Amino acid sequence: MGDERIAKVQAGARNAGAAAVVVGLSSNLRYLAGFTDEPGERMLLLIIPQDDEPTLIVPELYADQVRGHCPDIPMLVWADGQDPAAHVATVAAELGDRPGRVLVDDSLWAAMLLPIQRAFAGREIGLASEVMTPLRMRKGKAEVDAMVRAGAIADRALEAALSQPILGLTELELAGRLEAAMLAGGAGGIAFETLVASGPNSGLPHYRAGNRRIESGDVVILDYGCRVDGYCSDMTRTVVCGRPTDEVLSAYDAVRAGHAAAVDRIHVGVEAEEIDRAARRVLTEAGFGEAFSHRTGHGIGLDVHEPPYIVEGNSMALDVGMAFSIEPGAYFPGAFGIRLEDVVVVGEEGARSMTDAPRELRSVE
Ligand code: ZN
Ligand code: ZN
């Protein structure tokens, strides 16, 4: 798997006129070498020349772990107290006078980028996403299978979390309940900090979770996901503690209709912005155009947010294997908000949803 992907990166680099691609501790490393970690101050790089063997530059304390994951990639090891930039310079020298840019992992710390730039002195620096995004955007079968499993775990976690009363819980307590259910359900971890927004907090699209206690009559947005084999799920359901008002019901109906219109529009060859327009048209016609204040969705995979973005201005044509969220919402500051989100994968027949928890507005205790 890794070898094949590295060969594709090399082909991409040749097409892009790049001499090498440099990957740090990121989801790209996981994609290419099967492991990653939180980025830290120690330099760990995978350098892939366009037509030569890749090299790993590895801190000594990682060496055994890395060798276990990818025994076939040659490693230059450095110990605490040594300067890893010397190894980067060695690899840079091996490129010789082969022309071309160096494409560096988009999320690499500036503290790493500067010594890399010095080691590859004279070469133009670009972003590795130029080569990585086209590969990562189209998910293969094993990747989709992992996302299906991550979605099923999230679906079941919702049932577990709502099977007992939520009235009087703090948002953080309810978030903890969802996260515990995902871990008990077999997740490899949570995908991102769980968002539980209750009452007026639900009117803030970026609110996370705090110590507010859920009251009777609250609208509650639950936005959460987990990982399986590194691949993320991401779903949102909005529930009401008690009985919904007419205002809540009409906004919910519009969001749900916008979500359905977007999902229906998904087919190979349709432009990403068309999906955004399909959702927005429904919400605007229902009078909620201004309340829908964000894009319709984001790509997802090893990262929670990655291309393709489902947003006005993105004319990229959808292709088989692309995975992204459909998450229209309507927000009324100081009052309440609604969001409905599922991740879908594009297939020959249209969209396939990774999550299937009921999409009706649900009243819970
Ligand atoms: Zn989400
Ligand atoms: Zn999302």
Side-chain angles (χ1 to χ4, degrees):
M1 176 190 83
D3 286 357
E4 204 176 295
R5 288 178 177 175
I6 285 173
K8 285 183 180 172
V9 169
Q10 290 174 316
R14 286 193 292 274
N15 281 334
V21 176
V22 180
V23 171
L25 283 170
S26 71
S27 54
N28 283 330
L29 189 68
R30 171 138 199 173
Y31 185 77
L32 296 170
F35 75 96
T36 192
D37 196 357
E38 293 298 314
E41 74 285 3
R42 290 187 178 93
M43 188 184 272
L44 192 159
L45 300 174
L46 171 63
I47 304 182
I48 306 172
Q50 60 151 257
D51 55 3
D52 208 348
E53 239 183 353
T55 301
L56 278 157
I57 295 175
V58 180
E60 196 169 24
L61 79 172
Y62 275 92
D64 288 341
Q65 202 182 331
V66 173
R67 218 171 259 126
H69 282 287
C70 35
D72 300 333
I73 303 179
M75 247 198 276
L76 295 173
V77 176
W78 63 277
D80 283 349
Q82 292 176 335
D83 181 9
H87 286 326
V88 184
T90 303
V91 177
E94 284 167 4
L95 288 181
D97 52 9
R98 272 169 289 186
R101 295 174 300 149
V102 172
L103 304 182
V104 174
D105 215 341
D106 296 36
S107 62
L108 204 69
W109 287 7
M112 313 267 169
L113 175 63
L114 295 180
I116 290 169
Q117 267 182 312
R118 282 193 290 272
F120 289 99
R123 290 184 190 271
E124 195 188 322
I125 303 287
L127 293 178
S129 53
E130 197 179 321
V131 168
M132 296 305 303
T133 296
L135 295 179
R136 287 191 41 189
M137 224 168 23
R138 291 170 183 81
K139 271 73 181 175
K141 187 178 179 306
E143 297 178 283
V144 173
D145 285 349
M147 294 180 72
V148 166
R149 282 184 285 148
I153 290 168
D155 273 340
R156 288 198 297 273
L158 185 71
E159 295 313 313
L162 299 181
S163 65
Q164 293 172 54
I166 65 167
L167 179 67
L169 287 186
T170 67
E171 295 165 339
L172 283 165
E173 283 168 340
L174 182 51
R177 214 191 249 183
L178 279 165
E179 292 178 1
M182 290 190 285
L183 297 177
I190 61 164
F192 54 91
E193 204 180 310
T194 297
L195 185 157
V196 175
S198 67
N201 292 337
S202 64
L204 307 167
H206 253 134
Y207 179 84
R208 288 234 163 250
N211 288 313
R212 184 182 181 280
R213 287 195 185 277
I214 295 168
E215 297 171 9
S216 184
D218 277 357
V219 173
V220 185
I221 292 180
L222 310 164
D223 186 348
Y224 64 99
C226 64
R227 287 180 190 271
V228 169
D229 296 341
Y231 286 84
C232 301
S233 60
D234 180 9
M235 70 184 289
T236 304
R237 290 295 182 268
T238 301
V239 302
V240 180
C241 184
R243 298 207 57 77
T245 62
D246 289 347
E247 273 177 302
V248 169
L249 281 172
S250 68
Y252 192 91
D253 285 348
V255 169
R256 191 177 168 200
H259 176 283
V263 172
D264 281 350
R265 190 80 184 87
I266 295 166
H267 288 285
V268 173
V270 174
E271 294 175 356
E273 65 186 359
E274 281 296 326
I275 310 304
D276 181 79
R277 286 175 192 161
R280 205 164 300 281
R281 196 175 300 127
V282 170
L283 278 138
T284 302
E285 281 169 9
F288 298 110
E290 284 193 17
F292 180 18
S293 50
H294 54 72
R295 66 189 176 209
T296 294
H298 54 85
I300 184 167
L302 288 171
D303 287 321
V304 182
H305 288 190
E306 59 179 48
Y309 292 98
I310 308 303
V311 64
E312 183 64 38
N314 184 5
S315 60
M316 176 190 290
L318 299 182
D319 199 358
V320 170
M322 288 185 180
F324 49 83
S325 69
I326 295 295
E327 52 179 304
Y331 308 91
F332 308 92
F336 70 93
I338 307 284
R339 183 162 64 256
L340 179 61
E341 174 182 29
D342 293 285
V343 165
V344 299
V345 177
V346 180
E348 301 286 359
E349 309 295 319
R352 173 185 182 192
S353 187
M354 302 290 101
T355 37
D356 282 312
R359 296 183 184 89
E360 299 85 49
L361 180 61
R362 187 159 167 172
S363 286
V364 296
E365 287 179 20

